[in-house]
Amino acid sequence: QFIALESSLFSGKIRPYLLYKNIPYEEVMASTEVQMNIVIPRVGWGVLPVIITPEDRVVQDTTSIIEYLEQEHPYPPVVPSTPRQNLVSLLLELFADEWLVIPAMHYRWSKTEHKKYIDLQFGRFIKEQFPPLEQMEGLDNFGGYRFFKKSI
């Protein structure tokens, strides 16, 4: 299983990897219920993406997921074969994951014209039991959403 959010930047890092490697998976869209019943009990906190292997092992963090899957599905490799190239690859990944995420999130979420998209994505997660238009209403009542909205 691949537990993810459609709009998650890091879920978007793993999804094409799985497709490129032709690794069969079942994508489970994260919801409050999935977070409370699967992710938090198994990982310890509400983080995405997460994979649950056929052996029922839970792997979280995109770098760890790729490292694990490369061992299980080595061909075609995405990790460079020489130590020097591998080091450069890991440094580039670290830079992208930790520093490029800042402008990525800014350009993705901070524009006023993206408000409906943001509300829809948060509503689908927070209020998944409601019809789509109702999912976008009253989101300011949820603490995490208020914190997010103040940060942009």
Side-chain angles (χ1 to χ4, degrees), residues 1 10-11 19-20 37 42 53-54 61-62 72 101 106 119 126 130:
Q1 285 185 325
F10 291 106
S11 296
L19 294 171
Y20 173 75
N37 295 330
R42 303 283 311 267
T53 71
D61 183 75
T62 56
E72 298 295 312
V101 72
H106 168 73
D119 290 350
I126 296 169
F130 291 91

mmCIF file of all heavy atoms in Angstrom, residues 1 10-11 19-20 37 42 53-54 61-62 72 101 106 119 126 130:
data_model
loop_
_atom_site.group_PDB
_atom_site.id
_atom_site.type_symbol
_atom_site.label_atom_id
_atom_site.label_comp_id
_atom_site.label_asym_id
_atom_site.label_seq_id
_atom_site.Cartn_x
_atom_site.Cartn_y
_atom_site.Cartn_z
ATOM 1 N N GLN A 1 0.832 -1.186 0.000
ATOM 2 C CA GLN A 1 0.000 0.000 0.000
ATOM 3 C C GLN A 1 0.873 1.243 0.000
ATOM 4 O O GLN A 1 1.915 1.279 0.638
ATOM 5 C CB GLN A 1 -0.872 0.045 1.253
ATOM 6 C CG GLN A 1 -2.024 -0.899 1.251
ATOM 7 C CD GLN A 1 -2.895 -0.695 2.483
ATOM 8 O OE1 GLN A 1 -2.407 -0.387 3.562
ATOM 9 N NE2 GLN A 1 -4.186 -0.860 2.309
ATOM 10 N N PHE A 10 5.662 15.405 -1.460
ATOM 11 C CA PHE A 10 6.488 14.220 -1.266
ATOM 12 C C PHE A 10 5.790 12.950 -1.749
ATOM 13 O O PHE A 10 6.449 12.022 -2.193
ATOM 14 C CB PHE A 10 6.951 14.123 0.187
ATOM 15 C CG PHE A 10 7.938 15.208 0.511
ATOM 16 C CD1 PHE A 10 7.570 16.291 1.293
ATOM 17 C CD2 PHE A 10 9.217 15.168 0.003
ATOM 18 C CE1 PHE A 10 8.478 17.306 1.572
ATOM 19 C CE2 PHE A 10 10.132 16.176 0.279
ATOM 20 C CZ PHE A 10 9.758 17.243 1.058
ATOM 21 N N SER A 11 4.461 12.912 -1.707
ATOM 22 C CA SER A 11 3.750 11.795 -2.333
ATOM 23 C C SER A 11 4.013 11.823 -3.839
ATOM 24 O O SER A 11 4.165 10.777 -4.471
ATOM 25 C CB SER A 11 2.246 11.886 -2.068
ATOM 26 O OG SER A 11 1.964 11.759 -0.688
ATOM 27 N N LEU A 19 5.877 4.109 -10.510
ATOM 28 C CA LEU A 19 5.491 3.877 -11.904
ATOM 29 C C LEU A 19 6.705 3.544 -12.767
ATOM 30 O O LEU A 19 6.672 2.616 -13.578
ATOM 31 C CB LEU A 19 4.747 5.099 -12.460
ATOM 32 C CG LEU A 19 3.389 5.389 -11.814
ATOM 33 C CD1 LEU A 19 2.844 6.719 -12.284
ATOM 34 C CD2 LEU A 19 2.409 4.264 -12.090
ATOM 35 N N TYR A 20 7.799 4.287 -12.586
ATOM 36 C CA TYR A 20 9.017 4.043 -13.354
ATOM 37 C C TYR A 20 9.555 2.637 -13.110
ATOM 38 O O TYR A 20 9.951 1.937 -14.032
ATOM 39 C CB TYR A 20 10.084 5.084 -13.002
ATOM 40 C CG TYR A 20 11.430 4.794 -13.625
ATOM 41 C CD1 TYR A 20 11.646 5.019 -14.983
ATOM 42 C CD2 TYR A 20 12.474 4.282 -12.869
ATOM 43 C CE1 TYR A 20 12.872 4.740 -15.560
ATOM 44 C CE2 TYR A 20 13.698 3.991 -13.430
ATOM 45 C CZ TYR A 20 13.892 4.224 -14.782
ATOM 46 O OH TYR A 20 15.109 3.938 -15.363
ATOM 47 N N ASN A 37 -6.331 5.613 12.159
ATOM 48 C CA ASN A 37 -6.390 4.163 12.326
ATOM 49 C C ASN A 37 -5.186 3.410 11.773
ATOM 50 O O ASN A 37 -4.950 2.275 12.181
ATOM 51 C CB ASN A 37 -7.660 3.609 11.673
ATOM 52 C CG ASN A 37 -8.908 4.113 12.362
ATOM 53 O OD1 ASN A 37 -8.903 4.391 13.550
ATOM 54 N ND2 ASN A 37 -9.973 4.263 11.607
ATOM 55 N N ARG A 42 0.885 3.206 13.439
ATOM 56 C CA ARG A 42 1.994 2.444 12.883
ATOM 57 C C ARG A 42 3.291 3.253 12.812
ATOM 58 O O ARG A 42 4.369 2.696 12.914
ATOM 59 C CB ARG A 42 1.648 1.945 11.463
ATOM 60 C CG ARG A 42 0.408 1.095 11.356
ATOM 61 C CD ARG A 42 0.554 -0.346 11.813
ATOM 62 N NE ARG A 42 1.653 -1.092 11.317
ATOM 63 C CZ ARG A 42 1.653 -1.869 10.250
ATOM 64 N NH1 ARG A 42 0.560 -1.984 9.522
ATOM 65 N NH2 ARG A 42 2.724 -2.538 9.911
ATOM 66 N N THR A 53 4.531 -2.585 3.247
ATOM 67 C CA THR A 53 5.014 -3.639 2.356
ATOM 68 C C THR A 53 4.139 -4.886 2.462
ATOM 69 O O THR A 53 3.376 -5.033 3.421
ATOM 70 C CB THR A 53 6.463 -4.007 2.703
ATOM 71 O OG1 THR A 53 6.466 -4.697 3.960
ATOM 72 C CG2 THR A 53 7.357 -2.785 2.763
ATOM 73 N N PRO A 54 4.261 -5.794 1.494
ATOM 74 C CA PRO A 54 3.520 -7.065 1.589
ATOM 75 C C PRO A 54 3.852 -7.840 2.867
ATOM 76 O O PRO A 54 3.034 -8.620 3.353
ATOM 77 C CB PRO A 54 3.975 -7.838 0.346
ATOM 78 C CG PRO A 54 4.367 -6.771 -0.627
ATOM 79 C CD PRO A 54 4.957 -5.666 0.214
ATOM 80 N N ASP A 61 9.132 8.363 4.958
ATOM 81 C CA ASP A 61 10.165 9.279 4.485
ATOM 82 C C ASP A 61 10.575 8.836 3.082
ATOM 83 O O ASP A 61 10.918 7.679 2.856
ATOM 84 C CB ASP A 61 11.396 9.343 5.398
ATOM 85 C CG ASP A 61 12.392 10.369 4.888
ATOM 86 O OD1 ASP A 61 12.116 11.570 5.058
ATOM 87 O OD2 ASP A 61 13.391 9.978 4.272
ATOM 88 N N THR A 62 10.517 9.768 2.154
ATOM 89 C CA THR A 62 10.737 9.416 0.754
ATOM 90 C C THR A 62 12.111 8.803 0.509
ATOM 91 O O THR A 62 12.236 7.851 -0.256
ATOM 92 C CB THR A 62 10.538 10.645 -0.156
ATOM 93 O OG1 THR A 62 11.402 11.700 0.273
ATOM 94 C CG2 THR A 62 9.102 11.118 -0.127
ATOM 95 N N GLU A 72 14.573 -4.068 -2.741
ATOM 96 C CA GLU A 72 13.584 -5.077 -3.125
ATOM 97 C C GLU A 72 13.406 -5.182 -4.638
ATOM 98 O O GLU A 72 13.069 -6.246 -5.147
ATOM 99 C CB GLU A 72 12.227 -4.756 -2.478
ATOM 100 C CG GLU A 72 12.248 -4.760 -0.961
ATOM 101 C CD GLU A 72 12.534 -6.137 -0.399
ATOM 102 O OE1 GLU A 72 11.899 -7.113 -0.840
ATOM 103 O OE2 GLU A 72 13.413 -6.239 0.490
ATOM 104 N N VAL A 101 12.105 22.784 -1.154
ATOM 105 C CA VAL A 101 10.725 22.656 -0.703
ATOM 106 C C VAL A 101 10.171 24.023 -0.281
ATOM 107 O O VAL A 101 8.972 24.280 -0.426
ATOM 108 C CB VAL A 101 10.606 21.606 0.430
ATOM 109 C CG1 VAL A 101 11.197 22.117 1.720
ATOM 110 C CG2 VAL A 101 9.169 21.186 0.625
ATOM 111 N N HIS A 106 5.941 27.802 -1.412
ATOM 112 C CA HIS A 106 5.533 29.198 -1.599
ATOM 113 C C HIS A 106 4.762 29.357 -2.906
ATOM 114 O O HIS A 106 3.654 29.877 -2.919
ATOM 115 C CB HIS A 106 6.750 30.128 -1.584
ATOM 116 C CG HIS A 106 6.432 31.503 -2.052
ATOM 117 N ND1 HIS A 106 5.707 32.397 -1.279
ATOM 118 C CD2 HIS A 106 6.706 32.135 -3.219
ATOM 119 C CE1 HIS A 106 5.562 33.528 -1.955
ATOM 120 N NE2 HIS A 106 6.147 33.392 -3.127
ATOM 121 N N ASP A 119 -8.442 24.964 -0.310
ATOM 122 C CA ASP A 119 -9.633 24.600 0.459
ATOM 123 C C ASP A 119 -10.145 23.222 0.056
ATOM 124 O O ASP A 119 -10.533 22.424 0.908
ATOM 125 C CB ASP A 119 -10.730 25.641 0.270
ATOM 126 C CG ASP A 119 -10.407 26.969 0.941
ATOM 127 O OD1 ASP A 119 -9.420 27.019 1.709
ATOM 128 O OD2 ASP A 119 -11.127 27.945 0.693
ATOM 129 N N ILE A 126 -9.879 16.657 5.672
ATOM 130 C CA ILE A 126 -10.471 16.903 6.980
ATOM 131 C C ILE A 126 -11.939 16.472 7.048
ATOM 132 O O ILE A 126 -12.395 15.941 8.053
ATOM 133 C CB ILE A 126 -10.351 18.403 7.352
ATOM 134 C CG1 ILE A 126 -8.879 18.786 7.493
ATOM 135 C CG2 ILE A 126 -11.111 18.726 8.623
ATOM 136 C CD1 ILE A 126 -8.647 20.279 7.606
ATOM 137 N N PHE A 130 -18.181 14.451 3.757
ATOM 138 C CA PHE A 130 -19.123 15.424 3.214
ATOM 139 C C PHE A 130 -19.023 15.493 1.687
ATOM 140 O O PHE A 130 -17.984 15.166 1.120
ATOM 141 C CB PHE A 130 -18.828 16.830 3.777
ATOM 142 C CG PHE A 130 -19.139 16.968 5.240
ATOM 143 C CD1 PHE A 130 -18.167 16.709 6.200
ATOM 144 C CD2 PHE A 130 -20.410 17.351 5.655
ATOM 145 C CE1 PHE A 130 -18.445 16.835 7.552
ATOM 146 C CE2 PHE A 130 -20.696 17.485 7.013
ATOM 147 C CZ PHE A 130 -19.716 17.222 7.952
#
